[in-house]
Amino acid sequence: MYIVLLGAPGAGKGTQAAMLVEAMGLVQVASGDLFRKALQQETELGKTAKLYMEKGQLVPDEITIKMVLERLGEPDCKKGVILDGFPRNIKQAMALDKALDEQSEGIDKAVYIKVTEGELIKRLGGRWVCRNCQTSYHETENPPKVTGKCDRCGGELYQRDDDKPETVRKRLEVYFAETAPLIEYYTKAGKLLEVNGEGSAAEVNKRLLAALS
Ligand code: AP5
C-alpha cells in the first residue's frame, strides 16, 4: 500500500504520518526528514539540500527523486508506505507513478489535509522537533511532558531554521505554486481524499482513518 499525504507546510503531515504508522503498521518516508538527517550527518546531499531548505525553496527534482526512490527500494518499505512531503510537484508525482508502475504497484490514495493559512502560521511558529527521532511537538497544542525533551526517545527538541516567519512565507508561496496542483493531479486519477485538518491531532486522525477505510 502506498499513501501520499498532501498539505501545506504545517498542515500536520508529519504528525498524522506518525499516527498512521502506529495504526496501520506502515513505514513513514518523509523527504524533509531524509534531508535533515543528511544535513545532520554533513553529507554532500545534506550540504546541497541546506542551500535550498534555508531559503524555503524546493531541493532540485533530480536529487529529491533519486533519494526517495532509493529509500522506497529498502526492504522495510515492502510493508507499505506513507509518503510525507513527497511528491511535491507534478514532475515528482509522475516519476513516482512511473517507478511504482514498473513494479506493478501504484499510489492507493492521496490524502489532502486541508488547513487555513492562519492556523498553519500559528502551528509552525510553535513547533519543536526532536533532533533524534523527528517527532513534532507544539509549545501550546501538543507540548512534551518535559520541556525541551522528546517524550518518545528523550532526545533534544529544537526549532527548525526554516520555521522563521520570512522562510515560512516563502515555503507557503512555493506550496501554492508547485504543490497545490497535485490536488488536481490526484483528483483526476480518482485517488484524492480530502480531510479537514483543523481541530486536535487526534480528531484529524479519526477523520483520516475513517476516510481511508
Ligand atoms: P518538509 O520537512 O517536508 O516540511 P513541510 O512540507 O514544509 O511540512 P512541515 O514538516 O513543515 O509540516 P507538517 O505538515 O509535517 O506538519 P507537522 O506535523 O510537523 O520540507 C522542508 C524542506 O525540505 C522544504 O522546504 C524543501 O526545501 C525540502 N523538501 C522536502 N521535501 C521535498 C521535496 N519532495 N522536493 C523538494 N524539496 C523538498 O505539524 C506542524 C506543527 O503543528 C507541529 O508543531 C505539530 O505539533 C502541530 N500540529 C500538528 N497537527 C496539529 C493539530 N491538529 N492541531 C494543532 N497543532 C497541530
Side-chain angles (χ1 to χ4, degrees), residues 47-75:
K47 285 178 198 160
T48 307
K50 185 171 186 273
L51 301 174
Y52 298 90
M53 292 171 84
E54 64 191 8
K55 294 190 201 127
Q57 295 169 348
L58 294 186
V59 179
D61 288 333
E62 316 77 69
I63 300 176
T64 307
I65 291 168
K66 181 170 179 287
M67 173 186 75
V68 175
L69 294 185
E70 274 174 17
R71 175 67 187 96
L72 292 179
E74 289 174 15

Side-chain angles (χ1 to χ4, degrees), residues 7-16 30-33 35-36 49 52-54 56-61 64 68 84-89 92 119 123-124 126-129 136-139 141-142 160 162-163 171 197-202 204:
K13 302 181 296 296
T15 302
Q16 293 302 324
S31 42
D33 289 351
F35 284 133
R36 280 183 289 277
Y52 298 90
M53 292 171 84
E54 64 191 8
Q57 295 169 348
L58 294 186
V59 179
D61 288 333
T64 307
V68 175
D84 158 11
F86 182 94
R88 203 64 155 233
N89 57 28
Q92 293 182 11
E119 176 71 12
R123 288 185 187 179
L124 294 175
R127 170 163 61 184
W128 289 81
V129 184
S136 264
Y137 297 87
H138 190 275
E139 56 195 20
E141 302 299 323
N142 175 29
R160 274 169 47 178
D162 63 349
D163 280 347
R171 285 163 63 202
E198 310 245 350
S200 71
V204 177

Side-chain angles (χ1 to χ4, degrees), residues 75-106:
D76 61 329
C77 290
K78 296 276 173 279
K79 288 194 262 182
V81 173
I82 300 168
L83 284 149
D84 158 11
F86 182 94
R88 203 64 155 233
N89 57 28
I90 302 284
K91 191 170 170 197
Q92 293 182 11
M94 290 172 75
L96 177 64
D97 281 345
K98 183 167 173 277
L100 293 180
D101 190 51
E102 282 166 9
Q103 300 163 36
S104 310
E105 297 278 4

Side-chain angles (χ1 to χ4, degrees), residues 43 52 66 85 98 104 115 130 151 171 184-185 194 201 208:
T43 63
Y52 298 90
K66 181 170 179 287
K98 183 167 173 277
S104 310
V115 173
C130 176
D151 293 351
R171 285 163 63 202
E184 195 187 337
Y185 180 88
E194 183 177 310
L208 219 150

